[in-house]
Amino acid sequence: MTGRIIPLHGNRHAEAHGLLPWYVTGRLGAAERARVEVHLNGCPECQADLKVERALRATIADLRMDVEQDWAKLRGRLERESPARARAGGWRAWLGATVPRWTGAMRPGGAWGATWALVPSLGLLLLLAGVLTTPARPARYRLLAAAPPPVTGNMVVIFRPQTSEADLRRILGAHHARIVDGPTSADAWLVQAPAGQRAAILARLRGEREIALAEPVDSGGSR
Amino acid sequence: MVGVASGRIATVARGDDDKEARLIDKVARGDLRAFEDLYRIYHPRLSRFLLSVTRRPQLVDEVLSDTLLVVWRRSDGFEGRGKVSTWIFAIAYHKALNALRRLDEPPEDLDADRRESPDAGPEQQVGQNQVRQVLLKAIGELSADHRAVVDLAYFHEINYRDIAEIMDCPVDTVKTRMFHARRHLKTKLAGQLADWL
């Protein structure tokens, strides 16, 4: 096969023939399409080739891919990389607008459903929440959570897709954590760990093979 | 008929372009949900394209992820002058070529498991399978550049000007590559055309 460029201008047959692949996919402009059609009417060779082009196109267009599995992989990669982007400043404004909505909705009786719907990007948001929940930005949910009874979670956990319900219960039970809400559209669960044990439980949960993400959701006051 | 169909395709394509431009704008502002939407749009398209160009399934996942990470990281540099699809396919194409350069292995025979014994089924099916075998084998014999043009044109239905932009080459080079690719495929299929058409 050669890479030599064949001059296609000045020859209506060559031009029309060369454009047939895009003619069959409807990707020619009106003027080019009209020229091809005029030529096709009087060219048996191109008419025969048009049949071949249509058959080629139909035969070549066939492949299935697993989107869900690969998205889970890439999401994990993004989540691992996100702190660097946060340090670069790109996230700060976005999170500054989003986290108050998130934390505000965490109060007892808050609008969980609506908030979950807003954050399929939960993993990234939570990884970066620590960037925002600095002393200069008091965590609003702590004030709101003062109303009894305090049923808020203090971490978010995402299990790997293949995790069974039995494994989910076993893992949380083994680490003395309990589900408070979820799952979200991103398959994340809001989980409550006993006061004072959160950091240790988070560390253990992160070591579980079935857990894709485990992150705190407040400023660390309940550690 | 073709005119009406192509008009509808063009309208749909413009709608897709606008939607994707809005997604990219959100991605540039760090919207992971928008990125997920974009990912779901492009995963099947890029998977198909990368498999076609590289002929190496083991490369597809890596190159696809690398491509979409570039989209994520550099979305704020997308200037909006061209189409989002052209920009993303261009990233994928160049990453695929770079990945191929790093490899010395021959491409896999992707179609081995799809081949069936000629006496495995009804006569009609055998004929179609044989045509498919020959076609797939012939596509595998093309260079990566030629396979890219074939896939972008026939499967992704991208016009030749955008293909030229994706491949960073003149429009006539795209047409020439397509000319040679078609000639090769038709030559290989010469004995099968009666069953095929």
Side-chain angles (χ1 to χ4, degrees):
Chain A
M1 188 164 304
T2 172
R4 186 171 58 87
I5 292 179
I6 296 171
L8 298 173
H9 304 297
N11 181 327
R12 287 181 185 244
H13 173 78
E15 184 198 25
H17 188 262
L19 292 177
L20 285 180
W22 292 281
Y23 178 77
V24 300
T25 58
R27 290 299 187 187
L28 291 181
E32 284 177 322
R33 189 169 65 245
R35 285 203 302 277
V36 170
E37 286 175 348
V38 166
H39 177 77
L40 271 171
N41 284 333
C43 180
E45 183 185 340
C46 281
Q47 289 168 13
D49 235 34
L50 185 60
K51 291 181 185 173
V52 178
E53 289 301 330
R54 287 184 169 139
L56 263 180
R57 178 201 174 193
T59 307
I60 287 172
D62 179 26
L63 196 66
R64 289 194 314 166
M65 290 290 163
D66 183 353
V67 177
E68 296 301 328
Q69 184 181 347
D70 287 356
W71 166 246
K73 283 186 201 167
L74 184 60
R75 186 179 63 189
R77 192 166 163 185
L78 290 179
E79 287 163 352
R80 287 193 297 276
E81 292 195 358
S82 58
R85 183 161 177 172
R87 282 194 297 275
W91 291 97
R92 203 171 271 276
W94 173 64
L95 285 172
T98 308
V99 166
R101 280 201 313 246
W102 160 263
T103 54
M106 286 175 64
R107 67 179 178 270
W112 259 115
T115 305
W116 283 121
L118 286 172
V119 284
S121 51
L122 183 63
L124 260 180
L125 189 154
L126 293 169
L127 276 171
L128 297 166
V131 174
L132 292 176
T133 51
T134 59
R137 188 188 294 272
R140 289 168 53 198
Y141 80 92
R142 294 177 63 193
L143 300 175
L144 294 167
V151 293
T152 56
N154 52 13
M155 64 176 70
V156 165
V157 174
I158 298 178
F159 290 84
R160 299 198 186 282
Q162 67 274 19
T163 304
S164 67
E165 184 187 348
D167 282 339
L168 185 151
R169 283 190 278 108
R170 174 185 57 76
I171 291 166
L172 291 178
H175 298 298
H176 309 293
R178 66 187 184 94
I179 290 172
V180 174
D181 209 335
T184 70
S185 58
D187 286 331
W189 299 87
L190 182 66
V191 170
Q192 186 182 51
Q197 298 180 38
R198 185 178 67 170
I201 291 175
L202 272 172
R204 292 203 300 271
L205 289 175
R206 287 168 182 158
E208 293 282 357
R209 190 179 53 188
E210 290 85 355
I211 290 182
L213 177 145
E215 292 295 328
V217 292
D218 59 18
S219 61
S222 61
R223 289 171 194 172
Chain B
M1 187 173 69
V2 170
V4 172
S6 61
R8 190 176 68 246
I9 289 170
T11 302
V12 171
R14 274 197 300 276
D16 289 346
D17 292 342
D18 292 344
K19 176 187 174 188
E20 290 173 11
R22 286 194 296 273
L23 286 175
I24 279 289
D25 187 50
K26 289 180 180 177
V27 171
R29 287 182 271 126
D31 186 334
L32 185 60
R33 190 174 191 178
F35 181 63
E36 182 174 351
D37 289 344
L38 204 62
Y39 180 95
R40 291 181 187 282
I41 293 170
Y42 276 92
H43 183 286
R45 302 180 71 187
L46 292 180
S47 295
R48 155 81 197 215
F49 175 62
L50 292 170
L51 187 61
S52 178
V53 172
T54 65
R55 302 287 290 176
R56 291 165 176 84
Q58 74 275 19
L59 281 184
V60 171
D61 189 34
E62 176 195 338
V63 177
L64 192 151
S65 290
D66 285 350
T67 298
L68 289 166
L69 278 171
V70 170
V71 171
W72 171 250
R73 291 166 179 156
R74 298 188 191 164
S75 51
D76 54 349
F78 177 70
E79 296 171 355
R81 283 181 298 191
K83 296 174 186 168
V84 172
S85 57
T86 305
W87 180 58
I88 293 177
F89 271 108
I91 295 168
Y93 174 65
H94 290 99
K95 286 205 167 287
L97 292 188
N98 286 337
L100 285 174
R101 285 189 199 105
R102 292 195 300 267
L103 280 183
D104 291 329
E105 311 158 20
E108 283 190 25
D109 183 356
L110 294 177
D111 313 311
D113 60 347
R114 303 185 202 182
R115 292 185 189 132
E116 295 178 16
S117 166
D119 55 3
E123 190 175 333
Q124 176 81 12
Q125 188 180 348
V126 171
Q128 289 172 349
N129 284 342
Q130 285 177 333
V131 169
R132 186 177 171 80
Q133 285 175 30
V134 173
L135 179 60
L136 291 171
K137 185 170 186 296
I139 289 174
E141 292 164 355
L142 296 171
S143 71
D145 285 341
H146 289 77
R147 286 197 301 270
V149 175
V150 166
D151 197 60
L152 291 170
Y154 287 128
F155 183 79
H156 300 286
E157 301 183 349
I158 295 176
N159 70 57
Y160 60 81
R161 292 184 182 86
D162 287 345
I163 294 176
E165 193 175 331
I166 288 167
M167 302 182 78
D168 194 22
C169 68
V171 162
D172 278 351
T173 301
V174 171
K175 292 180 179 175
T176 301
R177 285 173 178 165
M178 184 56 120
F179 174 86
H180 289 304
R182 291 160 69 200
R183 188 173 64 179
H184 177 74
L185 298 181
K186 287 171 196 169
T187 299
K188 295 291 181 177
L189 283 165
Q192 314 286 335
L193 286 176
D195 292 329
W196 194 31
L197 300 177

